[in-house]
Amino acid sequence: MKAIVTRLDSFGDVLLAGPAVRAVAARAERVTLLCGPRGEPAARLLPGVDEILVWDAPWAGFEPPPVDRAGVEKLLDAIDADTALVLTSFHQSPLPTALLLRLAGVRHIAADSVDYPGSLLDVRHHRLPHAHEAEAALDLAGAAGFPRPDDGRLRVLPPPATAHLTGGEPYVVLHPGASVPARAWSPERCAQAVRELTAAGHRVVVTGGGGEKDLTAHVAGRHGLDLGGRTGAAELSGVLARARAVVTGNTGPAHLAAAVGTPVVSLFAPVVPAGRWRPYGVPYVLLGDQDAPCAGSRARTCPVPGHPCLESVTATDVLAAVEKVMKP
């Protein structure tokens, strides 16, 4: 049996699909993962994936492309599977993806769907209310005939050595960036946390992507080690795996930290529900006002002046949380 699992949005979403991918891989001869460009780096870290197809879907992401018939036809020609698992977030419809899979000749398709699927789905599953995204994906896999083969925690392939980047251990990682502004702690608060952690005797490594070098330089200042733009996904997994704790917002590195078994201090803006998106399977502390007026809004930019849900968190709060959850 050849299977395809689809998760078309971002880096963290693909990592949360990992346990379900392993469930499929335990019974399928070959597993293809169809993901979007932002999810591809995470897809390349997942155990159980034999092939990766990358496609920028016009119904996914923050800046979806226009519909392109030639691109759709190219994708249909590339899909070779007997059965499919369409993974989506609780607010997304799986039906556009299911339609393409049907056109590609996939005979058996399973997805969570509140909408009537017609002939597009063979397994129309209903996720449990408030289920974590990783658990919801595993539940769907089970309903499709792929029971969980292990503990269901997030995992990635073994991380590479990263001592040449970080120097010696121990250290704490602070990742100040986020995929959308509403989920980020302010740069000044992050810089204060670096100073507070350093003053308490912790060495701090600041991480960020290639477009975040100015941010990481500001946050690291004279006290932290700035790795902004120096780590791809695999290298970042290594840096996070060897940290005593990771401080970050609700963004991909929080899930990557969980996948390598590192505790997380989560600066969590409630624009999406923490119950569905919190760090999964590792010790964590959730910081931020989860009852703020922006709760559940899915806002990309904070709609409340002053961003109070996260700006109410202090560097002292972060230090206390790090010392509560960090590895020995």
Side-chain angles (χ1 to χ4, degrees):
M1 174 180 55
K2 293 178 288 187
I4 185 167
V5 179
T6 74
R7 184 78 211 210
L8 292 171
D9 27 25
S10 67
F11 185 94
D13 302 306
V14 172
L15 289 177
L16 291 173
V21 169
R22 296 198 310 272
V24 174
R27 296 208 169 191
E29 297 170 7
R30 182 173 181 81
V31 176
T32 298
L33 180 60
L34 172 61
C35 64
R38 292 169 61 226
E40 180 183 4
R44 299 198 177 280
L45 299 180
L46 292 184
V49 175
D50 299 299
E51 178 189 25
I52 296 170
L53 293 178
V54 181
W55 185 59
D56 200 0
W59 54 83
F62 299 128
E63 297 178 354
V67 176
D68 172 43
R69 180 168 181 164
V72 169
E73 291 176 347
K74 183 178 178 181
L75 174 67
L76 296 182
D77 289 340
I79 293 172
D80 180 19
D82 309 302
T83 188
L85 204 65
V86 182
L87 300 180
T88 55
S89 295
F90 69 98
H91 60 277
Q92 297 169 331
S93 171
L95 299 184
T97 305
L99 174 61
L100 293 189
L101 294 169
R102 276 285 192 250
L103 291 172
V106 180
R107 296 191 299 272
H108 189 269
I109 303 173
D112 288 321
S113 183
V114 297
D115 300 314
Y116 173 63
S119 61
L120 297 181
L121 298 180
D122 301 285
V123 177
R124 180 194 183 190
H125 186 253
H126 293 277
R127 69 165 63 200
L128 294 173
H130 314 299
H132 192 281
E133 292 294 306
E135 286 286 349
L138 275 170
D139 288 346
L140 173 60
F146 302 103
R148 64 176 71 192
D150 52 40
D151 60 9
R153 294 177 64 173
L154 306 188
R155 289 192 189 133
V156 292
L157 297 171
T162 51
H164 63 289
L165 293 171
T166 63
E169 302 173 34
Y171 58 85
V172 171
V173 167
L174 192 150
H175 186 93
S179 54
V180 296
R183 301 181 191 179
W185 207 24
S186 69
E188 189 48 49
R189 280 277 200 257
C190 291
Q192 290 170 3
V194 170
R195 295 193 293 270
E196 188 94 2
L197 287 162
T198 302
H202 302 286
R203 195 162 71 87
V204 182
V205 173
V206 180
T207 57
E212 298 175 320
K213 292 181 182 179
D214 290 344
L215 171 63
T216 59
H218 172 76
V219 169
R222 295 181 296 105
H223 303 279
L225 173 63
D226 179 13
L227 293 185
R230 296 178 61 192
T231 55
E235 291 80 14
L236 182 58
S237 73
V239 172
L240 300 181
R242 297 170 181 92
R244 299 185 76 186
V246 175
V247 180
T248 187
N250 175 27
T251 190
H255 303 303
L256 187 55
V260 294
T262 299
V264 180
V265 174
S266 178
L267 294 150
F268 201 101
V271 290
V272 295
R276 291 187 172 112
W277 298 102
R278 60 169 173 76
Y280 184 75
V282 293
Y284 70 94
V285 172
L286 209 66
L287 298 178
D289 180 5
Q290 301 305 299
D291 297 317
C294 64
S297 66
R298 300 210 299 270
R300 296 181 60 194
T301 302
C302 182
V304 184
H307 204 187
C309 68
L310 290 187
E311 289 307 287
S312 60
V313 179
T314 68
T316 302
D317 295 331
V318 167
L319 172 61
V322 165
E323 295 188 336
K324 179 179 180 180
V325 300
M326 67 183 184
K327 300 174 188 174

